[in-house]
Amino acid sequence: MAKQLILCDCLGSQAIDGAAIGAASGLACSRVHSGLCGAQAEAAAALIAQGEAVIACQQERSFFEDLAAEIEAPTPLFVDLRDRAGWSDEGDSAAPKMAALAAEALIPPAGGKLLDVTSEGLCLILGPAERAFEAAAQLAGSLSVTVLLETPAELPLDRGFDVVVGRLKFASGALGQFALRVDALQQVERGGRGAFTLTPPRDGGQTECDVILDLRGGTPLFPAPEKREGYLRPDPGDAKAVAAAIFEAGQMVGTFEKPLYLAYNEHICAHARAEQTGCSKCLDICPTGAITPDGEHVAIDPMICAGCGACSALCPSGAITYDDPPVAHAVRRMQVLSETYAKAGGKAPRLLVHDDVYGSEMISLSARFGRGLPADVLPLAVGTVTGFGHAEMLAALAVGFAEVSVLLAPKAEAGVIEGEAALARALSGASGAQVHVLDIADPDALSAQLYEAAKPPAPIAPVLPLGDRRQVTRLAAKALNPGSDATLPLPAGAPYGAVLVDTDACTLCLSCVSLCPAGALLDNEDMPQLRFQEDACLQCGICKTICPEQAIALEPRMNLSETALAQVVLHEEEPYACIECGALFGVKSTVERIVEQLAGKHPMFATSEAGKMIRMCDNCRVNAQFHQQNNPFSGGERPKPRTTDDYYSERKDH
């Protein structure tokens, strides 16, 4: 059975063209109702009972879900056409936009991976005695509470919670698995008459807990404390914030589902080779410290990862990919939006990327109390805008959008998004792609910015970018620069570019080839040659770091010609011919330089015969050493083989 879009104009507050929406989206549309959540609830129930319902309302989602459960019908899908399209100064011309939003809502959500996290309710409270004891008393009924004081204080006689004194030296982990180390630890002596006393202090105390309530108000225990699950750090001077944190802590008992935001392939990670550090972008940008060095690769702690997506946007090799949802899912959503909008007669759509909490609220407030969004601005809600990198921006332009704007959220990494937008603009080349970052906190200002912005140039003919992030970027850049074989200069730190070799300094030692993590630098088994494939280069810098002659430099750029996909020779020299057998080996200039430096000068090559060995191939050199007078491999004279006649000749009875 085909899905049916159930339409409602919300008491006549928006114009809906059901025929246009259905024709472009492929959905069967109901007649336009006015109050499905009120006077027409029976009609809503009848439509939901038919199954395969898609309700054009998000505001009353809980009402319709309860209604479906009450009549034992399948839970319907939902799409917000009102706040994102209908409630707008251009609502009368929003039919193409509504059709696009309805079609995009039919895309099945990407199945994310989840990890079970168990909290047994072990809570540690940090802070001054009076404040911490009050919070502990409130939580003692639901959690197993321990208060850690930095200095001794009058201990409560209530044993509903524990009290220890000490200096917290180290803390790690997240909800359900915090690990802590405490120095100068003093515990309560439980026996005796009178006030409780403390044990003598000792260092190195270790403990674990599930939840930390930090009421100190000083330096947080962790970077980006607001993103560390299980770590609550309210402003101690704000009574409401403290009360909310205490309530939240009391709910952190049981088993919770933690999304696994990232997928990691260590085999293509370019962090390090042979103890030489290359790419460290993920390490530098991770706000929570979830990513740490691990030899030649990195390690990601999924419990600490908050899913901001900055590492996946910056990763040059694609070793780290955002998996909740994957990039292909976002590209598919953008493609459906653009195609359906064009099918419904829309021209030059603009994409507004926003997070599904802050950005969605901004749009709703703008729609309810302001001008709403223009009819050509199609909103795309994502879990995190930080993970919407240059590859996704270029993909949006490639599938038919004329402009891409990213609305920053309060917790987004603004520097990452602005850098990715600058890279996307550079990769668009002469097309002058419109990519913007909007740092706006007022709904009316957001509407004004979108309505008053200059109309972008017409979009390119849509193409479908496929593959990983690097492949999507190259395909989109080619589409934005049709028929061009130009080389586009890119900002410093871009993950695309060339390796430049000073041929006068290069000795073709090929140490760069052996360490290149992407296989962009290659050798030739038949002759001394350094080859390079540009589209594989990550600009990680390991080759530049390892080069003993400092002959390598990096040039960030995007080569749109086909030569970027082929191997080109950066440097080659004539091989040396063995003076004994004529076999080719080594580099002629290098062998001659070694002869000049060592022959007749170094003790190992003091004689002319020894000096000749430098000019021999491996096999001839071993052969010459074996037959020389002072052969280091020689032993004593080999004994004569004994035969049967030898044995008989020695027998006296024979």
Side-chain angles (χ1 to χ4, degrees), residues 84 180 187 313 343 362 366 377 445 488 522 607 644 650:
R84 298 191 292 170
L180 308 102
Q187 297 175 277
K343 186 177 180 180
M362 284 272 286
S366 172
V377 173
L488 307 175
L522 308 101
T607 66
T644 302
E650 293 176 0

Side-chain angles (χ1 to χ4, degrees), residues 25 31-32 62 64 78 208 211 324 400 467 474 499 512-513 519 541 578 599 602 652:
S25 67
R31 72 176 182 86
V32 180
S62 60
F64 291 114
F78 296 88
E208 297 177 349
V211 182
D324 188 37
R474 182 170 182 82
V499 169
C512 55
V513 172
C578 174
H602 192 278
K652 296 180 179 180

Side-chain angles (χ1 to χ4, degrees), residues 9 66 70 103 118 133 154 158 198 255 318 449 451 499 503 578:
D9 62 13
D66 291 343
E70 181 179 337
T118 301
F133 290 162
E154 182 177 350
D158 181 8
L198 298 171
T255 300
Q449 173 71 28
Y451 276 102
V499 169
T503 56
C578 174

Side-chain angles (χ1 to χ4, degrees), residues 462-538:
V463 299
L464 179 58
L466 299 173
D468 59 25
R469 293 174 61 87
R470 294 182 66 87
Q471 294 168 330
V472 166
T473 298
R474 182 170 182 82
L475 288 171
K478 289 279 287 184
L480 290 167
N481 297 272
S484 173
D485 287 339
T487 297
L488 307 175
L490 300 181
Y496 314 97
V499 169
L500 307 180
V501 174
D502 182 352
T503 56
D504 293 332
C506 178
T507 62
L508 287 174
C509 69
L510 301 181
S511 58
C512 55
V513 172
S514 63
L515 295 183
C516 180
L521 291 168
L522 308 101
D523 62 356
N524 186 337
E525 295 183 356
D526 298 325
M527 63 182 302
Q529 202 174 70
L530 176 61
R531 296 182 175 185
F532 176 62
Q533 185 170 330
E534 186 167 339
D535 79 314
C537 180
L538 308 176

